[in-house]
Amino acid sequence: MLTVETRHAIDPQTAKRMDTEELRKHFHMGSLFAAGEIRLVYTHYDRMIVGAAVPSGAPLVLDQVKECGTASILDRREMAVVNVGASGKVSAAGETYAMERGDVLYLPMGSGKVTFEGEGRFYILSAPAHAAYPARLIRIGEAEKVKLGSAETSNDRTIYQFVHPAVMTSCQLVVGYTQLHNGSVWNTMPAHVHDRRMEAYLYFDMKPEQRVFHFMGEPQETRHLVMKNEDAVVSPPWSIHCGAGTGSYTFIWAMAGDNVDYKDVEMVAMEDLR
């Protein structure tokens, strides 16, 4: 079963007038992971698709998505798949990839239909592509690792870069995840924006009662969304994207747009946040 929801782009002036319900309607993406289903959100932010597939005992096949306007979803797109569940398999272009929890699979343009099997919980990210680069399964030991923050500032964290120029070549997708260490709760603080690309977050590794307060909005006009386990959020290029949780957690970050340079950001000074 395939479900696709479309999200249109929102400008910062419109976002300023939104209440909590409207903010969640346009930026929050909940209930992506449903047993026996593929659920996708087609965004108008750099045409990024965010979604999930949960085979739950029977294979799920992702092929034609009407919103893409092509016979198959990857005819003019690339894709990254992150397994946030138990062991599973993903098949495309005649190859089958066994994926453990935390593995990331990159599939290039022209890979054809994608089949999901096993007990995995597969997070899906896709963006338009201009070339076909080699498919690659990237395990955590092959990711580029960056340590940031400290326990003193409650943001001791490790960043794992998977679909990233330091590891491999893609068209515009940049994907990785950040693990907060015990006692640390802040992510991406000090905050930044990057006008040349959008970003999406998926928060996971959270207990049912745990929450993350995700901050968004222009630096001088901030808002927040309350996130639970396996909730996702889309971040426009004009918006900050940072958060603080009631305990440690992990989040997957994914970007699409003009530039794949991870450090191409405009930092926001703490005194400038409102």
Side-chain angles (χ1 to χ4, degrees):
M1 179 179 177
L2 172 66
T3 303
V4 184
E5 178 187 354
T6 297
R7 298 284 182 95
H8 293 281
I10 301 297
D11 66 89
Q13 287 73 35
T14 300
K16 287 180 183 180
R17 299 191 294 270
M18 290 182 175
D19 60 16
T20 299
E21 182 178 354
E22 289 177 300
L23 287 171
R24 293 181 73 84
K25 176 182 176 182
H26 288 283
F27 301 104
H28 173 263
M29 294 175 283
S31 303
L32 290 177
F33 293 83
E37 296 185 34
I38 299 174
R39 295 185 176 181
L40 305 178
V41 177
Y42 182 98
T43 84
H44 283 251
Y45 300 101
D46 291 297
R47 304 289 170 170
M48 172 80 88
I49 290 176
V50 178
V54 184
S56 192
L60 291 174
V61 179
L62 178 56
D63 194 4
Q64 186 177 39
V65 175
K66 179 182 176 182
E67 286 75 5
C68 297
T70 53
S72 188
I73 185 172
L74 294 182
D75 284 354
R76 294 180 58 83
R77 284 178 163 269
E78 59 186 351
M79 178 181 290
V81 179
V82 188
N83 185 9
V84 299
S87 300
K89 298 182 199 176
V90 178
S91 302
E95 299 288 338
T96 298
Y97 305 89
M99 296 186 68
E100 301 300 327
R101 182 178 176 84
D103 290 347
V104 179
L105 174 64
Y106 172 79
L107 295 173
M109 179 178 71
S111 294
K113 64 183 180 181
V114 184
T115 303
F116 304 90
E117 300 177 83
E119 298 304 314
R121 297 173 73 80
F122 300 103
Y123 182 52
I124 299 167
L125 298 150
S126 177
H130 62 270
Y133 295 106
R136 182 171 174 182
L137 176 62
I138 311 160
R139 305 194 189 277
I140 194 166
E142 301 170 292
E144 185 77 4
K145 187 166 68 173
V146 179
K147 291 273 291 178
L148 288 178
S150 68
E152 289 74 18
T153 51
S154 302
N155 65 350
D156 183 21
R157 62 198 191 274
T158 301
I159 298 171
Y160 296 93
Q161 300 167 337
F162 289 83
V163 183
H164 184 280
V167 179
M168 57 162 288
T169 301
S170 64
C171 292
Q172 62 169 320
L173 269 180
V174 179
V175 179
Y177 53 79
T178 300
Q179 291 182 335
L180 277 292
H181 300 302
N182 287 336
S184 288
V185 296
W186 277 103
N187 78 72
T188 326
M189 182 61 76
H192 63 255
V193 296
H194 32 73
D195 193 55
R196 286 163 289 281
R197 57 191 177 184
M198 59 79 67
E199 189 158 0
Y201 274 19
L202 175 80
Y203 291 99
F204 71 109
D205 276 348
M206 295 165 59
K207 296 177 181 178
E209 69 277 10
Q210 188 178 339
R211 294 294 183 270
V212 170
F213 288 75
H214 175 88
F215 293 93
M216 60 166 293
E218 292 179 287
Q220 291 78 39
E221 194 75 37
T222 61
R223 301 288 187 270
H224 75 269
L225 297 171
V226 180
M227 314 289 289
K228 60 179 174 46
N229 189 51
E230 294 185 347
D231 276 359
V233 61
V234 62
S235 179
W238 48 264
S239 175
I240 63 168
H241 36 275
C242 57
T246 57
S248 301
Y249 55 93
T250 303
F251 68 96
I252 298 168
W253 41 266
M255 293 174 278
D258 275 341
N259 199 339
V260 297
D261 181 1
Y262 185 78
K263 296 180 180 179
D264 179 20
V265 301
E266 291 80 48
M267 298 302 298
V268 179
M270 292 299 293
E271 58 267 26
D272 292 333
L273 288 174
R274 297 290 185 271

